[in-house]
Amino acid sequence: MTRRTYHRATEAERREDLIAATLDCIAEFGIQGATVRQIATRAGVTGGLIRHYFDGKDQMMQAAYRQLMTDMCAPAHAAVTDGTDARARLRSFITANLTPPVTDPRTLSLWAAFIGHIRIDPVFAAIHREHYLAFLKSLQTVLYDFFREKGAPLDAQDCRRHAIALNGIIDGLWLEGTLVADMFGESELSDTALIFVERLLGLSPGELAAADHT
């Protein structure tokens, strides 16, 4: 196990380092195998310092899951606010969720390690719900803007239904593609998603795929 180099850091930096070390250990050993001692060694700190920031291992796992979900959702949230037209933002949203770092195998391993806790741990369930709702809201926002720019605005219910269905396409391709990444070309997953999202939304072929050429 590689030990992180200790340096004098702020309270926030130390906490971030501990969360990063927790994720590293979970990726390597799994949730059950990752111990507080291993995490301390990876972070280059003492066990006593860890207790200054976290009440115990459970709280560290919860913070790590929150960070993972934040990192996974960040590219999509950024696409929604990047300042381009809504068609390009919708395309970027889809592409961001089906390309690295979201499709990195390590990300899938961490997600798989945590996912079983959602149904048995109310804190994990709350973290998952919080990020899912934020993700869905971002998708609904970009869909609403897209159809408004087309001159065919959606009502709130249709926008929500489209967002849920589109998210299902993204999730399925993400899971399949990340599990067997070597079977797909660099942009095959995102290109496939764009084609089927166009069909789902009743768009003309190439309407999203050509967004960056207009």
Side-chain angles (χ1 to χ4, degrees), residues 179-211:
L179 281 170
V180 286
D182 61 323
M183 292 180 58
F184 301 97
E186 182 178 355
S187 62
E188 189 173 359
L189 290 176
S190 56
D191 290 345
T192 299
L194 290 169
I195 290 169
F196 283 92
V197 169
E198 287 172 347
R199 295 179 185 178
L200 172 69
L201 300 180
L203 307 179
S204 302
E207 191 168 345
L208 284 179

Side-chain angles (χ1 to χ4, degrees), residues 103-195:
T103 56
D104 183 84
R106 178 179 182 273
T107 300
L108 176 62
S109 295
L110 287 166
W111 176 84
F114 285 119
I115 201 68
H117 287 257
I118 291 172
R119 295 189 62 83
I120 61 176
D121 187 319
V123 177
F124 273 84
I127 293 169
H128 184 82
R129 181 182 180 87
E130 172 192 341
H131 283 84
Y132 174 74
L133 290 175
F135 184 90
L136 201 65
K137 181 179 179 180
S138 290
L139 183 49
Q140 287 177 263
T141 297
V142 75
L143 281 171
Y144 179 83
D145 291 345
F146 171 74
F147 279 99
R148 184 180 60 182
E149 282 191 6
K150 282 174 62 67
L154 295 175
D155 63 34
Q157 188 60 38
D158 281 343
C159 192
R160 174 179 166 82
R161 288 171 178 158
H162 281 319
I164 292 170
L166 197 159
N167 185 52
I169 292 175
I170 291 173
D171 276 357
L173 288 172
W174 172 77
L175 185 59
E176 180 180 6
T178 309
L179 281 170
V180 286
D182 61 323
M183 292 180 58
F184 301 97
E186 182 178 355
S187 62
E188 189 173 359
L189 290 176
S190 56
D191 290 345
T192 299
L194 290 169
I195 290 169

Side-chain angles (χ1 to χ4, degrees), residues 43-71:
V45 301
T46 65
L49 183 62
I50 287 181
R51 288 190 291 273
H52 175 72
Y53 293 94
F54 299 101
D55 291 338
K57 181 179 174 180
D58 286 348
Q59 194 178 78
M60 295 173 71
M61 298 298 117
Q62 293 157 5
Y65 182 55
R66 184 182 295 279
Q67 186 62 52
L68 174 67
M69 293 300 293
T70 297
D71 292 343

